[in-house]
Amino acid sequence: AQSVTQLDSHVSVSEGTPVLLRCNYSSSYSPSLFWYVQHPNKGLQLLLKYTSAATLVKGINGFEAEFKKSETSFHLTKPSAHMSDAAEYFCVRKTSYDKVIFGPGTSLSVIP
Amino acid sequence: EAGVVQSPRYKIIEKKQPVAFWCNPISGHNTLYWYRQNLGQGPELLIRYENEEAVDDSQLPKDRFSAERLKGVDSTLKIQPAELGDSAVYLCASSLEKAGGDYEQYFGPGTRLTVT
């Protein structure tokens, strides 16, 4: 079955330290992959997307993600967490049939 | 540029009552999606429209849910009758399909439904 796995339901980091949110996908080919962020009571916003171009993708707010086909991973990173980064993060893939599949989400807390 | 507009933002109804949600996508976007997001989970696609055609409604509970996008612009999602388990946030998103399938979905703020 085609799916998206986010290994951590919750991640807590201190302000100014690196952020790593993990995402793995199951697929027999290179899919289109996205990371979305959802702040409380706000709509989902696209952070970045991978569509078979460069494997290291830079997004908004200092986030980036690296597509690793050998590991079927698309982990999201940021060098230094800010308080405003506290939110829910979703890894998303689009299948060859244009079906969009969301991961279960990772809640990021940033400690002052 | 206006984003995806949804109304109402909040709705509280008793079970067995009908309810409807409205979505106006970004102008010019040909593809519209309805998702349901349960508490603590990721959104799940209910239905996807390309213009006025529903191209994927495989996850829509057709016994009680219906949707329409008559003129290929705004859309309505209806539940009749509502059940307690329908309590969730209903999200609408739109995108402009490009050749090769490289697209970004823009999401509305959602409608939070509470069924009592």
Side-chain angles (χ1 to χ4, degrees), chain A residues 28-47:
Chain A
S28 59
Y29 68 101
S30 295
S32 294
L33 295 164
F34 309 77
W35 276 98
Y36 280 83
V37 61
Q38 187 175 38
H39 287 93
N41 299 317
K42 292 188 178 180
L44 284 151
Q45 181 184 19
L46 180 70
L47 279 176

Side-chain angles (χ1 to χ4, degrees), chain A residues 32 34 36 38 41-46 49 51 88 90 92 94 97-105, chain B residues 9-10 33 35 37 40-43 45 48 50 56 58 91 97 101-105 107-109 112:
Chain A
S32 294
F34 309 77
Y36 280 83
Q38 187 175 38
N41 299 317
K42 292 188 178 180
L44 284 151
Q45 181 184 19
L46 180 70
K49 62 182 179 182
T51 54
E88 190 82 15
F90 294 96
V92 182
K94 184 175 77 71
Y97 300 102
D98 289 335
K99 186 173 285 291
V100 177
I101 302 171
F102 276 74
Chain B
R9 291 293 309 277
Y10 304 91
Y33 309 78
Y35 291 88
Q37 185 177 19
Q41 298 181 23
L45 181 68
R48 176 168 66 98
E50 288 183 8
D56 184 357
S58 57
L91 297 168
E97 288 287 320
D102 180 4
Y103 65 93
E104 171 185 348
Q105 293 185 54
F107 284 82
R112 182 177 297 277

Side-chain angles (χ1 to χ4, degrees), chain B residues 10-57:
Chain B
Y10 304 91
K11 188 74 176 178
I12 301 174
I13 61 171
E14 294 183 347
K15 62 182 180 181
K16 300 185 181 179
Q17 295 301 306
V19 64
F21 315 122
W22 178 79
C23 172
N24 194 29
I26 292 174
S27 178
H29 280 193
N30 56 348
T31 305
L32 183 146
Y33 309 78
W34 281 104
Y35 291 88
R36 175 170 59 189
Q37 185 177 19
N38 292 310
L39 189 63
Q41 298 181 23
E44 295 178 310
L45 181 68
L46 292 173
I47 189 167
R48 176 168 66 98
Y49 284 92
E50 288 183 8
N51 299 304
E52 65 275 10
E53 181 182 0
V55 296
D56 184 357
D57 64 356

Side-chain angles (χ1 to χ4, degrees), chain A residues 25-103:
Chain A
Y25 65 91
S26 62
S27 176
S28 59
Y29 68 101
S30 295
S32 294
L33 295 164
F34 309 77
W35 276 98
Y36 280 83
V37 61
Q38 187 175 38
H39 287 93
N41 299 317
K42 292 188 178 180
L44 284 151
Q45 181 184 19
L46 180 70
L47 279 176
L48 49 81
K49 62 182 179 182
Y50 166 76
T51 54
S52 72
T55 57
L56 181 62
V57 182
K58 294 187 183 299
I60 62 172
N61 301 335
F63 283 94
E64 62 181 38
E66 186 173 8
F67 174 75
K68 292 186 177 180
K69 186 175 182 179
S70 61
E71 299 177 8
T72 61
S73 69
F74 189 57
H75 300 335
L76 182 71
T77 60
K78 182 173 180 177
S80 177
H82 191 272
M83 294 299 294
S84 61
D85 294 329
E88 190 82 15
Y89 291 80
F90 294 96
C91 183
V92 182
R93 62 165 293 192
K94 184 175 77 71
T95 73
S96 57
Y97 300 102
D98 289 335
K99 186 173 285 291
V100 177
I101 302 171
F102 276 74

